[in-house]
Amino acid sequence: MNETDRGGAAGRDTRVPAGALLVVGDVVTDVVARHHGPLAAGTDTAAAICTVPGGAGANVACWAAHWGCADVRLLGRVGADAAAWHERELAACGVHPLLVVDPQAPTGTVICLVDTGASAERTFLTDSGASLRLDPGDWSPALLDDVARLHLSGYLFFSEPSRALVSVALESARARGVPVSLDPASAGFLTELGVDRFLELAEGVDVLLPSRDEAYLLTGLPDPGDAAAKLSRHVPLVVAKQGSDGALVARSGTVRARVPAVPATPRDTTGAGDAFTGAFLAALLAGAEPEEAAAEGCGAGAMAVERVGGRPPAGT
């Protein structure tokens, strides 16, 4: 399937969004190592290695802009070592960067080990660096001026300073009537934080976008449909990403739609969920129903897995 089949004339939603999207989340440098077969412990494993901009929050913002959202803003924290580079890369993707430069910590770095087999499965080694040092001092209610939707990266929930920022951001959004979406972001970190704590911190979120593994962790239910339905009793709208099985849309304790995946040949699954979320939010802002927006998300996810790294092509 080509890009025009995946959502508009250039592979994106072409409707006009109702307002700006503000993403708050992580901006990191990804070192992607694509290796074939299992890693050889204690010796060398041949790999193709590249360094690309990443971060779940930043990736979501870039895909939302690529999918037609004309005003996408990103609040994140980086180190002085790579601030200028990340600002240029975000701007090249159509995102307005609102980056806080940390005077002490370096930019976060993630080593992405990608098996070049059929599944292109990836494993992350994460040094969050400055990205999780966002704190309430980096927030202002004025950041919500002209904003129609606030999106939070789940990585914000995994450090005390950024959890405090989440609290004040949610309070500001409630005061202005701005809906808030949340992507849990990491099954590993979610396990460390604890399910009850996560759900407590997510109180007031309007849309939850978990992966299959995250939905399982949050509910203890092995069936994806049951997990999505249960979560939708806590959050008004749940869109559970299922990878090659598409997505589930659940509301009020019931799965309302099962959206099929778009066929793709994976090269690197890094950022596929971020691509889904970005396109979903762009379509939602443009007036799409959740089921239609989820189909746009599946299209973006298919595009993402056929690329190396977690971002769409810049300047398109």
Side-chain angles (χ1 to χ4, degrees), residues 2-284:
N2 60 39
E3 287 195 16
T4 58
D5 293 324
R6 289 179 182 144
R12 66 196 77 172
D13 197 288
T14 56
R15 291 166 294 198
V16 178
L21 170 67
L22 173 62
V23 179
V24 182
D26 46 316
V27 182
V28 305
T29 300
D30 284 345
V31 180
V32 182
R34 300 178 68 243
H35 60 93
H36 185 69
L39 296 173
T43 186
D44 295 315
T45 300
I49 300 174
C50 63
T51 300
V52 295
N59 292 344
V60 166
C62 289
W63 279 100
H66 184 72
W67 224 255
C69 190
D71 189 350
V72 182
R73 309 166 191 180
L74 173 69
L75 175 64
R77 196 173 182 100
V78 295
D81 56 318
W85 179 59
H86 278 291
E87 285 189 345
R88 289 195 303 269
E89 292 294 326
L90 288 164
C93 284
V95 174
H96 179 57
L98 305 170
L99 300 186
V100 179
V101 179
D102 194 295
Q104 297 177 321
T107 302
T109 301
V110 176
I111 298 175
C112 311
L113 305 177
V114 182
D115 189 332
T116 57
S119 67
E121 193 52 73
R122 75 277 191 271
T123 300
F124 298 143
L125 302 175
T126 302
D127 178 354
S128 298
S131 66
L132 294 190
R133 288 165 58 89
L134 272 172
D135 63 35
D138 299 323
W139 178 261
S140 165
L143 288 166
L144 292 175
D145 289 352
D146 302 317
V147 167
R149 177 168 290 278
L150 170 65
H151 177 73
L152 304 174
S153 168
Y155 281 105
L156 296 169
F157 286 57
F158 305 134
S159 79
E160 190 55 46
S162 54
R163 281 196 291 270
L165 178 141
V166 165
S167 178
V168 298
L170 284 171
E171 183 179 352
S172 294
R174 281 193 292 269
R176 294 202 181 196
V178 175
V180 183
S181 55
L182 169 65
D183 189 326
S186 169
F189 287 153
L190 184 57
T191 300
E192 294 180 21
L193 177 66
V195 168
D196 291 342
R197 181 70 170 135
F198 178 87
L199 291 174
E200 176 188 345
L201 291 165
E203 184 71 31
V205 166
D206 302 276
V207 182
L208 187 68
L209 295 124
S211 68
R212 183 177 0 226
D213 289 345
E214 292 154 5
Y216 167 72
L217 281 171
L218 288 169
T219 62
L221 298 176
D223 180 80
D226 291 343
K230 182 175 180 178
L231 285 172
S232 72
R233 298 187 188 103
H234 298 277
V235 179
L237 175 63
V238 173
V239 182
K241 296 171 283 189
Q242 305 294 304
S244 60
D245 291 326
L248 303 173
V249 178
R251 284 177 286 196
S252 303
T254 303
V255 173
R256 302 299 178 92
R258 298 176 182 269
V259 181
V262 172
T265 302
R267 293 182 65 206
D268 176 9
T269 57
T270 303
D274 303 332
F276 179 104
T277 297
F280 173 86
L281 294 173
L284 210 61

